[in-house]
């Protein structure tokens, strides 16, 4: 009844969508200029390879600076924002001479603190580690780097000669940018399709920076045909430019295909621009940096078998729950200023009457909220000694409850601070109410919520793994999930002992949280929620109708879309994701005018479209750095052994220090 579980690699588990980069700004104030033996100093930045205490990996250093009380270092470095990782940065100020660089003081901060600070700088005291003396104040802020703007284009061909194509032939087109030296650079290759009186291709995206950077570039569209023997020939071509395409469907955007190769100036057909518009895609970073709150909720399965009721098993269960709550809950601390976390229990008989319950407040009171992560664990300790475990647990009740809680919180909350919930269900065993849980997940796909199933111990988790990998394929009795909301992760004591606690934390967080940013952005865009920073924009907003089933990283680390195809007969798409677009001028409360109602696919060649499969009646249905060496002062001497990675003259680093090692320890 369930499909074979699809294993997701590191890249597939990581969410689709543009990458987000932050430019970090540093301002030094009240520097104690009398410290040290020289008149110069430098700032060195480190990234933690473990927890809050390191170990530290040197990333970049500033230029040599004169010892004056104040310095403003804009774009001191850059970092790729990753919600699923604990990104701790260490700043050292060092007395600098040509021969040596001695540390005056240091401070630490996290990238999440910068993102959640509402664009205000955070202030840190730079302190000497040995003496505790004050060295300076560091004011640290960030700004998201601008992303490339996609341009949505769709062509319609008419009156293509059947004689040119043949009965069984197919036609396609390619889009080129004409360089200053008259060379052609391929920007897009369409899918092949059969000829007819009119041919409507899928819409696709071009990057505005490719077609209109410093000037309005000339664009050439070449139409080809291919016969049943695979021979390809040119039907015709035409030239245009962005300023003309952006006018959309009009008489000005009717082009005749001229076959200049044969010296024939006769029209071989026409191309019409059906639509052309700049498209805005918002990301998780856009929302949280504008004030969105992301709430952490947890539900703990108390059900157990006879062997699970023994004392060693109970102790292991408590340790696993504590690990999950602290590891995942820590990532939400900066995004939920209330520090109140909803916590539930299920699969137990609760006092005083010891009636069976599949959804109760973990505190055994009427309010599910607990103060901080310690409050959750204290409530769990009390409940563990008070309730009587049942032999099975049902997950649907708590999913329905938290989904309605999320809907209510979003609808009643401040429109400038949208709300989103992440429910983590910690369980030891198999799922007993599979059909009901699937229906609850389909309901949750319409609410501002994501669900993480975390398996602890050695229980049977095959059904939960399949739920976690189903994505938007989830369906039951004709009702389909609107987007992907579920993921599965597991905690195993043997794996922790093999790889080490800090490294396992990093991998576990990525397993559980890597998809959350895209899932949240998907729901926000689908429901017309616009970040505060983007209100007033009149560009077309990307409107996903289904989140991608398989995640693939964009090839360009800068966040731009690569529209070059490797296969001539293939076309790109955005993670196999169907999409709609709506025009959203100004306020999100304004009347929406749908201008594209078909369920088609954005074109990005690094993410091939998942083929649609016919329904089999089952519960699941198939759907669709660059790094340059920074200018490090020569007097750093022994520091040269560190890996210094940067992308600007003042230095930058991107990515996580764990990325190279994760590939060796993926968790099934």
């Amino acid at each position: 009844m369930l499909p074979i579980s699809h294993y997701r690699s590191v890249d597939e588990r990581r969410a689709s969508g543009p990458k987000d980069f932050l430019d970090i700004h540093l301002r030094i104030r009240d520097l104690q200029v009398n410290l040290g033996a020289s008149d110069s100093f430098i700032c060195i930045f480190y990234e933690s390879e473990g927890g809050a205490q390191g170990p530290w990996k040197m990333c970049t250093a500033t230029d040599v600076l004169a010892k004056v009380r104040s310095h403003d270092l804009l774009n001191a470095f850059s970092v790729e924002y990753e919600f699923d990782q604990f990104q701790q940065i260490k700043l050292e100020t060092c007395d600098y001479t040509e021969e040596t660089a001695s540390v005056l003081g240091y401070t630490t901060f996290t990238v999440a603190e910068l993102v959640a600070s509402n664009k205000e700088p955070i202030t840190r005291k730079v302190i000497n580690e040995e003496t505790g003396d004050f060295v300076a104040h560091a004011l640290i802020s960030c700004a998201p780097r601008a992303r490339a703007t996609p341009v949505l284009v769709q062509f319609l061909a008419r009156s293509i000669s059947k004689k040119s194509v043949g009965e069984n032939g197919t036609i396609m087109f390619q889009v080129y940018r004409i360089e200053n030296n008259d060379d052609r650079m391929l920007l897009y290759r369409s899918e092949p399709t059969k000829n007819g009186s009119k041919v409507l291709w899928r819409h696709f995206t071009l990057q505005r920076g490719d077609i209109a950077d410093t000037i309005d570039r000339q664009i050439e569209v070449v139409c080809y045909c291919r016969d049943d023997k695979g021979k390809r020939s040119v039907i015709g071509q035409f030239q245009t430019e962005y300023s003309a395409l952006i006018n959309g469907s009009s008489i000005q955007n009717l082009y005749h295909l001229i076959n200049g190769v044969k010296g024939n100036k006769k029209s071989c057909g026409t191309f019409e621009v059906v639509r052309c518009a700049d498209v805005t895609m918002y990301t998780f970073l856009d929302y949280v940096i504008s004030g969105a709150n992301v709430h952490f909720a947890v539900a703990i399965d108390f059900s157990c078998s006879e062997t699970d009721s023994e004392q060693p098993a109970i102790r292991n269960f408590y340790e696993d729950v504590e690990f999950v709550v602290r590891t995942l809950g820590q990532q939400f601390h900066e995004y939920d200023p209330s520090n109140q976390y909803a916590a539930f229990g299920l699969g137990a008989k609760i006092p005083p009457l010891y009636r069976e319950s599949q959804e109760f407040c973990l505190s055994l009171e009427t309010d599910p909220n607990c103060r901080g992560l310690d409050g959750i664990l204290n409530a769990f300790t009390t409940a563990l000694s008070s309730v009587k475990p049942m032999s099975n647990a049902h997950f649907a009740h708590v999913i329905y409850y938290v989904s309605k809680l999320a809907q209510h919180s979003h609808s009643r909350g401040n429109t400038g601070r949208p709300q989103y919930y992440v429910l983590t269900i910690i369980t030891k065993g198999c799922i007993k109410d599979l059909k009901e849980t699937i229906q609850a997940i389909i309901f949750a796909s319409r609410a501002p919520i994501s669900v993480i199933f975390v398996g602890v111990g050695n229980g049977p988790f095959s059904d939960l793994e399949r739920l976690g990998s189903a994505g938007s394929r989830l369906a039951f009795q004709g009702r389909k999930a609107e987007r992907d909301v579920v993921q599965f992760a597991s905690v195993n004591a043997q794996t922790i002992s093999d790889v080490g606690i800090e490294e396992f934390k990093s991998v576990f967080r990525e397993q559980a949280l890597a998809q959350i940013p895209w899932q949240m952005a998907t729901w926000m865009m689908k429901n017309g929620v616009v970040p505060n920073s983007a209100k007033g924009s009149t560009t077309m907003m990307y409107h996903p109708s289904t989140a991608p089933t398989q995640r693939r990283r964009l090839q360009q680390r800068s966040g731009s879309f690569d529209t070059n195809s490797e296969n001539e007969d293939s076309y790109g798409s955005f993670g196999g994701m169907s999409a709609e677009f709506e025009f959203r001028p100004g306020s999100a409360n304004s009347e929406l005018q749908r201008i594209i109602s078909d369920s088609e696919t954005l074109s990005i060649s690094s993410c091939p479209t998942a083929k649609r499969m016919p329904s089999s009646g089952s519960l699941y249905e198939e759907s669709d750095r660059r790094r340059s060496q920074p200018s490090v002062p020569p007097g750093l001497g022994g520091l040269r052994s560190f890996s210094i990675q940067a992308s600007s003259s003042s230095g930058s680093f991107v990515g996580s220090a764990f990325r190279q090692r994760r590939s060796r320890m993926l968790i099934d």
Side-chain angles (χ1 to χ4, degrees):
M1 185 167 63
L2 294 176
I4 297 176
S5 177
H6 167 70
Y7 173 73
R8 285 174 175 168
S9 67
V10 171
D11 287 353
E12 288 176 316
R13 287 197 303 266
R14 184 162 295 279
S16 293
K19 299 302 176 187
D20 283 309
F21 292 85
L22 293 169
D23 292 324
I24 310 300
H25 310 312
L26 172 65
R27 292 174 172 84
I28 300 292
R29 297 291 184 266
D30 305 324
L31 177 65
Q32 304 301 298
V33 297
N34 58 330
L35 296 177
S38 74
D39 296 330
S40 304
F41 78 103
I42 59 172
C43 296
I44 305 176
F45 296 95
Y46 300 84
E47 179 188 12
S48 174
E49 291 188 313
Q53 304 303 319
W56 302 97
K57 174 186 176 181
M58 182 181 175
C59 299
T60 191
T62 65
D63 296 329
V64 179
L65 306 170
K67 273 189 183 176
V68 294
R69 291 185 62 83
S70 298
H71 273 286
D72 289 346
L73 305 175
L74 300 181
N75 299 327
F77 67 97
S78 299
V79 60
E80 180 185 351
Y81 173 70
E82 295 178 295
F83 169 73
D84 58 306
Q85 292 304 316
F86 183 70
Q87 295 178 281
Q88 182 92 356
I89 309 299
K90 180 180 179 181
L91 164 66
E92 284 186 348
T93 57
C94 300
D95 188 53
Y96 174 76
T97 66
E98 291 290 341
E99 293 79 22
T100 61
S102 56
V103 178
L104 298 176
Y106 83 100
T107 189
T108 62
F109 61 93
T110 65
V111 174
E113 288 179 284
L114 297 179
V115 169
S117 64
N118 293 324
K119 300 182 180 179
E120 295 294 327
I122 61 173
T123 303
R124 291 286 188 272
K125 287 185 177 181
V126 182
I127 301 296
N128 185 284
E129 186 174 14
E130 296 180 356
T131 65
D133 293 338
F134 171 79
V135 176
H137 282 115
L139 282 70
I140 310 159
S141 60
C142 71
R145 184 180 294 176
R147 294 187 297 271
T149 302
V151 179
L152 178 75
V153 185
Q154 187 174 27
F155 285 129
L156 171 69
R158 295 181 186 270
S159 304
I160 302 296
S161 172
K162 295 183 178 180
K163 184 177 180 180
S164 301
V165 180
E167 293 184 1
N168 299 321
T170 58
I171 61 174
M172 68 208 76
F173 67 89
Q174 294 181 357
V175 180
Y176 297 90
R177 184 179 80 170
I178 302 178
E179 304 289 358
N180 295 333
N181 59 1
D182 210 35
D183 287 344
R184 267 62 172 170
M185 185 180 79
L186 179 64
L187 298 179
Y188 176 75
R189 180 182 290 115
S190 77
E191 76 279 12
T193 185
K194 289 188 176 182
N195 189 22
S197 58
K198 62 179 181 179
V199 179
L200 180 66
W201 281 279
R202 291 178 180 269
H203 58 255
F204 61 96
T205 56
L206 301 173
Q207 289 307 304
R208 192 165 67 182
D210 290 336
I211 59 178
D213 44 15
T214 56
I215 59 174
D216 206 6
R217 297 278 183 177
Q218 284 289 312
I219 303 166
E220 184 175 64
V221 179
V222 182
C223 185
Y224 299 91
C225 65
R226 174 172 289 169
D227 59 24
D228 50 4
K229 295 181 180 180
K231 183 180 179 180
R232 193 178 76 167
S233 58
V234 176
I235 297 176
Q237 63 267 342
F238 66 89
Q239 292 186 4
T240 184
E241 53 192 22
Y242 169 74
S243 58
L245 289 175
I246 201 64
N247 293 323
S249 180
S250 66
I251 191 65
Q252 298 174 341
N253 277 328
L254 176 63
Y255 302 96
H256 291 276
L257 293 174
I258 304 299
N259 193 333
V261 177
K262 300 178 181 179
N264 185 6
K265 300 302 181 181
K266 183 180 178 181
S267 175
C268 301
T270 60
F271 259 53
E272 299 177 19
V273 177
V274 178
R275 63 195 66 160
C276 180
D278 293 342
V279 181
T280 298
M281 282 190 64
Y282 301 121
T283 65
F284 177 84
L285 181 63
D286 292 327
Y287 289 103
V288 296
I289 211 167
S290 297
N293 293 332
V294 188
H295 303 278
F296 177 65
V298 63
I300 302 174
D301 173 12
F302 285 86
S303 65
C304 65
S305 61
E306 293 182 1
T307 57
D308 291 334
S309 60
E310 299 175 358
Q311 196 63 31
I314 295 176
R315 184 172 60 254
N316 292 336
F317 179 53
Y318 178 86
E319 292 174 352
D320 290 341
V321 170
E322 182 180 20
F323 173 83
V324 173
V325 169
R326 293 198 182 279
T327 302
L328 298 185
Q330 179 188 40
Q331 299 300 110
F332 294 85
H333 175 71
E334 301 295 339
Y335 307 103
D336 187 0
S338 68
N339 201 29
Q340 295 279 349
Y341 303 115
F344 305 89
L346 57 138
K349 300 176 181 179
I350 59 174
L353 301 178
Y354 291 98
R355 292 175 177 171
E356 295 183 355
S357 177
Q358 297 293 354
E359 175 243 309
F360 57 90
C361 297
L362 193 62
S363 60
L364 302 179
E365 303 290 344
T366 56
D367 184 7
N369 290 319
C370 298
R371 185 74 175 175
L373 301 181
D374 289 334
I376 295 177
L377 295 175
N378 291 337
F380 172 61
T381 302
T382 302
L384 192 60
S385 60
S386 302
V387 304
K388 294 181 179 180
M390 295 168 53
S391 59
N392 59 74
H394 296 172
F395 301 141
H397 298 78
V398 71
I399 294 175
Y400 276 121
Y401 184 92
V402 180
S403 298
K404 294 176 182 178
L405 178 67
Q407 285 182 327
H408 178 76
S409 177
H410 180 80
S411 61
R412 295 289 298 272
N414 186 341
T415 57
R417 299 182 70 91
Q419 313 294 312
Y420 194 84
Y421 278 72
V422 178
L423 171 62
T424 301
I425 301 177
I426 306 173
T427 178
K428 294 180 290 185
C430 63
I431 179 171
K432 296 296 184 181
D433 61 335
L434 181 60
K435 294 182 180 180
E436 291 79 6
T437 298
I438 290 176
Q439 295 179 72
I441 292 172
I442 293 172
F443 176 83
S445 70
R446 298 169 175 84
I449 185 176
S450 293
V451 180
I452 306 171
F453 288 102
V454 178
V456 296
N458 300 311
F461 303 126
S462 58
D463 288 346
L464 296 178
E465 288 178 355
R466 294 173 188 176
L467 276 175
S469 62
S472 57
R473 298 176 296 163
L474 206 58
F476 183 76
Q477 294 183 348
R479 296 174 60 232
K480 294 183 179 181
E482 292 189 359
R483 60 191 180 93
D484 182 9
V485 295
V486 183
Q487 39 276 325
F488 173 78
S490 60
V491 175
N492 185 281
Q494 184 61 44
T495 306
I496 296 177
S497 62
D498 290 343
V499 302
I501 184 67
E502 293 299 336
E503 193 158 354
F504 181 78
K505 280 183 179 180
S506 176
V507 176
F508 174 68
R509 280 192 294 256
E510 183 169 301
Q511 263 197 322
L513 302 177
Q515 300 173 34
I516 300 300
W518 176 246
Q519 291 175 359
M520 173 176 161
T522 298
W523 189 89
M524 296 291 181
M525 289 188 290
K526 185 176 180 64
N527 288 273
V529 181
V530 179
N532 292 335
S533 59
K535 289 183 177 178
S537 172
T538 58
T539 58
M540 189 187 298
M541 187 170 101
Y542 175 67
H543 186 293
S545 63
T546 311
T549 300
Q550 296 185 16
R551 305 321 195 270
R552 298 178 185 270
R553 291 192 180 203
L554 298 180
Q555 293 177 346
Q556 300 294 329
R557 293 185 65 84
S558 62
S560 62
F561 301 111
D562 177 15
T563 55
N564 294 325
S565 175
E566 297 295 331
N567 187 336
E568 185 170 276
D569 290 337
S570 68
Y571 57 91
S573 68
F574 195 69
M577 173 170 36
S578 302
E580 295 176 354
F581 296 84
E582 291 181 357
F583 185 76
R584 305 184 186 279
S587 171
N589 297 322
S590 60
E591 190 69 25
L592 303 179
Q593 176 188 2
R594 179 166 298 181
I595 65 172
I596 299 180
S597 59
D598 54 342
S599 183
E600 296 180 341
T601 309
L602 269 174
S603 300
I604 298 174
S605 64
S606 58
C607 307
T609 301
K611 296 182 179 179
R612 288 185 177 270
M613 301 295 291
S615 172
S616 58
S618 67
L619 292 178
Y620 292 86
E621 292 183 4
E622 186 73 11
S623 72
D624 9 10
R625 277 176 229 194
R626 179 178 68 187
R627 299 175 178 178
S628 59
Q629 197 72 8
S631 53
V632 180
L636 286 179
L639 294 178
R640 290 181 181 275
S641 61
F642 288 91
S643 174
I644 302 174
Q645 299 162 333
S647 64
S648 69
S649 58
S650 59
S652 71
F653 68 92
V654 291
S656 170
F658 296 100
R659 199 67 69 208
Q660 295 179 352
R661 287 181 289 174
R662 288 187 194 135
S663 60
R664 303 198 304 266
M665 49 175 298
L666 300 179
I667 302 174
D668 294 329

